Amino acid sequence: MDNFSTWVSDQDISIQYLYTKYLKQNPDVELQKRITLEGYGKYLLSQQKSDGHWGKYYYQPKWTSTHYTLLQLKDCGVSPDTSACRNILYSMFEECQLPEGGLNLAKSDMKSDICVDGMILNYASYFLLEYEKLKPLVASILQKQKSDGGFTWYDQNEGDPHSTICVLEGLRSFLVSTKDEALKSKVKAAIQRGIDYFYQHQLFSEEKKYQKLAYPFRYFYSVFRFLLFAADLGLEVNGSISEGLKLLSKKEKNGFFTLEKLYKGQTFIDFSKVGEIDPFLSIYGNYIFAQLK
């Protein structure tokens, strides 16, 4: 084995599975079955309380709430049929979905947050395949796209990169899970407009705050995160993506990527420390270079 595959064999079972999914393009189902039984996946699931929640509620506190834990469990590769995730998601939609289709995860009376709605769509499309309540959520999201192609929870006419990348990831997750061809067409069009939004801004690659390698992503945008999204879609490499890849190549060391930033808040697991090799970033980074040639 080469150095990278040898390193992978010593990592958490989630990382071993993600290696087969992203870099071997052949997800190992047997490895995936073990994620709920050991390592990151087992530990995160063990933190679920008797009421089905993680943390205090759906969105409190960051980053140990139900919302962010479900997002992380998806990232870790737990099976879509994991009942602990599916059951609390059913409750989330029953308790939090508003008449307009978005979800309010707060206990107070508030409008839905488009950025949060995008993240919900991301993991809900994974755990609740073809769930009927996803379509109203998608419809709500599509209605909120700004004229520049972006999305935002701010009271403004232009999108913001954080909300936009979260929504694009959610739409892409829905796209690969739905069989509704008419809705697929609308979602594809919205995704393309969102991609064009980032191209208009050259991926925001000249802003240093977006150049840093951070994981988990939470709700924050980064050039790395867009490149991962581009790799998932198999986008053609253009000038904007090429510049992003140049930035990323400067951070790669023998196939590994080092964590440069952590977002403050309560956590169940710290996958790495700033200055250390991060397992998720290293898998994703190699995948990006493999797909965006």
Short mmCIF file of all heavy atoms in Angstrom, two decimals, residues 45 48 52-54 66 70 73 81-90 127:
data_model
loop_
_atom_site.label_atom_id
_atom_site.label_comp_id
_atom_site.label_asym_id
_atom_site.label_seq_id
_atom_site.Cartn_x
_atom_site.Cartn_y
_atom_site.Cartn_z
N LEU A 45 -23.95 8.69 18.01
CA LEU A 45 -25.27 8.10 18.26
C LEU A 45 -25.50 7.87 19.76
O LEU A 45 -26.63 7.97 20.24
CB LEU A 45 -25.41 6.79 17.49
CG LEU A 45 -25.56 6.94 15.97
CD1 LEU A 45 -25.41 5.60 15.29
CD2 LEU A 45 -26.91 7.57 15.62
N GLN A 48 -27.24 10.66 21.84
CA GLN A 48 -28.66 10.97 21.67
C GLN A 48 -29.41 10.71 22.97
O GLN A 48 -29.21 9.68 23.63
CB GLN A 48 -29.25 10.12 20.54
CG GLN A 48 -30.66 10.52 20.14
CD GLN A 48 -31.16 9.71 18.95
OE1 GLN A 48 -30.77 8.56 18.76
NE2 GLN A 48 -32.02 10.31 18.14
N GLY A 52 -34.90 11.73 21.93
CA GLY A 52 -34.51 11.67 20.53
C GLY A 52 -33.59 12.78 20.10
O GLY A 52 -33.03 12.74 18.99
N HIS A 53 -33.38 13.76 20.96
CA HIS A 53 -32.54 14.91 20.61
C HIS A 53 -31.09 14.71 20.98
O HIS A 53 -30.74 13.92 21.86
CB HIS A 53 -33.05 16.18 21.30
CG HIS A 53 -34.23 16.80 20.64
ND1 HIS A 53 -34.15 17.39 19.41
CD2 HIS A 53 -35.54 16.90 21.04
CE1 HIS A 53 -35.35 17.86 19.07
NE2 HIS A 53 -36.22 17.55 20.04
N TRP A 54 -30.25 15.47 20.32
CA TRP A 54 -28.89 15.71 20.76
C TRP A 54 -28.87 17.15 21.26
O TRP A 54 -29.61 18.01 20.75
CB TRP A 54 -27.90 15.56 19.62
CG TRP A 54 -27.66 14.16 19.18
CD1 TRP A 54 -26.68 13.32 19.64
CD2 TRP A 54 -28.37 13.41 18.18
NE1 TRP A 54 -26.75 12.10 18.99
CE2 TRP A 54 -27.79 12.13 18.09
CE3 TRP A 54 -29.47 13.71 17.35
CZ2 TRP A 54 -28.23 11.16 17.20
CZ3 TRP A 54 -29.93 12.75 16.48
CH2 TRP A 54 -29.31 11.49 16.41
N THR A 66 -29.33 18.73 17.71
CA THR A 66 -29.81 17.69 16.80
C THR A 66 -29.45 18.01 15.35
O THR A 66 -28.98 17.14 14.61
CB THR A 66 -31.34 17.56 16.94
OG1 THR A 66 -31.64 17.13 18.27
CG2 THR A 66 -31.91 16.58 15.94
N LEU A 70 -26.99 15.56 13.12
CA LEU A 70 -27.49 14.85 11.94
C LEU A 70 -26.62 15.15 10.71
O LEU A 70 -26.32 14.25 9.92
CB LEU A 70 -28.95 15.24 11.66
CG LEU A 70 -29.99 14.69 12.63
CD1 LEU A 70 -31.35 15.34 12.37
CD2 LEU A 70 -30.10 13.16 12.50
N LEU A 73 -23.43 13.14 11.17
CA LEU A 73 -23.64 11.71 10.97
C LEU A 73 -23.72 11.38 9.49
O LEU A 73 -23.21 10.35 9.04
CB LEU A 73 -24.90 11.24 11.71
CG LEU A 73 -24.75 11.11 13.23
CD1 LEU A 73 -26.11 11.01 13.91
CD2 LEU A 73 -23.89 9.88 13.56
N ASP A 81 -30.59 4.27 6.47
CA ASP A 81 -31.72 3.65 7.19
C ASP A 81 -31.52 3.61 8.70
O ASP A 81 -32.24 2.91 9.42
CB ASP A 81 -31.98 2.24 6.65
CG ASP A 81 -30.82 1.28 6.87
OD1 ASP A 81 -29.83 1.68 7.53
OD2 ASP A 81 -30.89 0.14 6.37
N THR A 82 -30.57 4.39 9.21
CA THR A 82 -30.34 4.45 10.66
C THR A 82 -31.56 5.03 11.36
O THR A 82 -31.91 6.20 11.19
CB THR A 82 -29.09 5.31 10.97
OG1 THR A 82 -27.96 4.77 10.28
CG2 THR A 82 -28.81 5.35 12.46
N SER A 83 -32.23 4.22 12.15
CA SER A 83 -33.52 4.61 12.73
C SER A 83 -33.40 5.80 13.68
O SER A 83 -34.32 6.62 13.75
CB SER A 83 -34.15 3.42 13.46
OG SER A 83 -33.30 2.95 14.49
N ALA A 84 -32.30 5.92 14.40
CA ALA A 84 -32.14 7.03 15.33
C ALA A 84 -32.19 8.37 14.61
O ALA A 84 -32.71 9.35 15.14
CB ALA A 84 -30.81 6.89 16.09
N CYS A 85 -31.67 8.40 13.41
CA CYS A 85 -31.68 9.62 12.61
C CYS A 85 -33.03 9.84 11.94
O CYS A 85 -33.57 10.94 11.92
CB CYS A 85 -30.59 9.56 11.53
SG CYS A 85 -28.92 9.38 12.20
N ARG A 86 -33.60 8.80 11.42
CA ARG A 86 -34.86 8.90 10.70
C ARG A 86 -36.00 9.32 11.65
O ARG A 86 -36.82 10.19 11.30
CB ARG A 86 -35.21 7.57 10.04
CG ARG A 86 -34.30 7.23 8.86
CD ARG A 86 -34.50 5.78 8.39
NE ARG A 86 -35.88 5.51 8.04
CZ ARG A 86 -36.44 5.77 6.86
NH1 ARG A 86 -35.72 6.35 5.92
NH2 ARG A 86 -37.70 5.45 6.62
N ASN A 87 -36.05 8.74 12.82
CA ASN A 87 -37.16 9.02 13.73
C ASN A 87 -37.18 10.46 14.21
O ASN A 87 -38.25 11.09 14.26
CB ASN A 87 -37.11 8.06 14.93
CG ASN A 87 -37.43 6.63 14.54
OD1 ASN A 87 -38.04 6.39 13.49
ND2 ASN A 87 -37.01 5.67 15.35
N ILE A 88 -36.02 11.00 14.57
CA ILE A 88 -36.01 12.39 15.03
C ILE A 88 -36.28 13.33 13.86
O ILE A 88 -36.84 14.42 14.05
CB ILE A 88 -34.68 12.74 15.73
CG1 ILE A 88 -34.79 14.09 16.46
CG2 ILE A 88 -33.52 12.76 14.76
CD1 ILE A 88 -35.81 14.14 17.55
N LEU A 89 -35.93 12.94 12.66
CA LEU A 89 -36.23 13.76 11.49
C LEU A 89 -37.73 13.83 11.22
O LEU A 89 -38.27 14.88 10.87
CB LEU A 89 -35.49 13.23 10.26
CG LEU A 89 -34.20 13.94 9.92
CD1 LEU A 89 -33.45 13.21 8.80
CD2 LEU A 89 -34.46 15.38 9.51
N TYR A 90 -38.41 12.71 11.37
CA TYR A 90 -39.87 12.73 11.24
C TYR A 90 -40.47 13.71 12.25
O TYR A 90 -41.37 14.50 11.92
CB TYR A 90 -40.46 11.33 11.47
CG TYR A 90 -40.26 10.37 10.32
CD1 TYR A 90 -39.73 9.10 10.55
CD2 TYR A 90 -40.61 10.72 9.02
CE1 TYR A 90 -39.56 8.20 9.50
CE2 TYR A 90 -40.45 9.83 7.97
CZ TYR A 90 -39.92 8.58 8.21
OH TYR A 90 -39.73 7.68 7.18
N PHE A 127 -31.48 10.74 4.64
CA PHE A 127 -32.08 9.81 5.60
C PHE A 127 -33.55 9.49 5.31
O PHE A 127 -34.05 8.42 5.70
CB PHE A 127 -31.98 10.38 7.02
CG PHE A 127 -30.59 10.36 7.59
CD1 PHE A 127 -29.94 11.55 7.91
CD2 PHE A 127 -29.92 9.17 7.81
CE1 PHE A 127 -28.66 11.54 8.44
CE2 PHE A 127 -28.64 9.15 8.33
CZ PHE A 127 -28.00 10.34 8.65
#
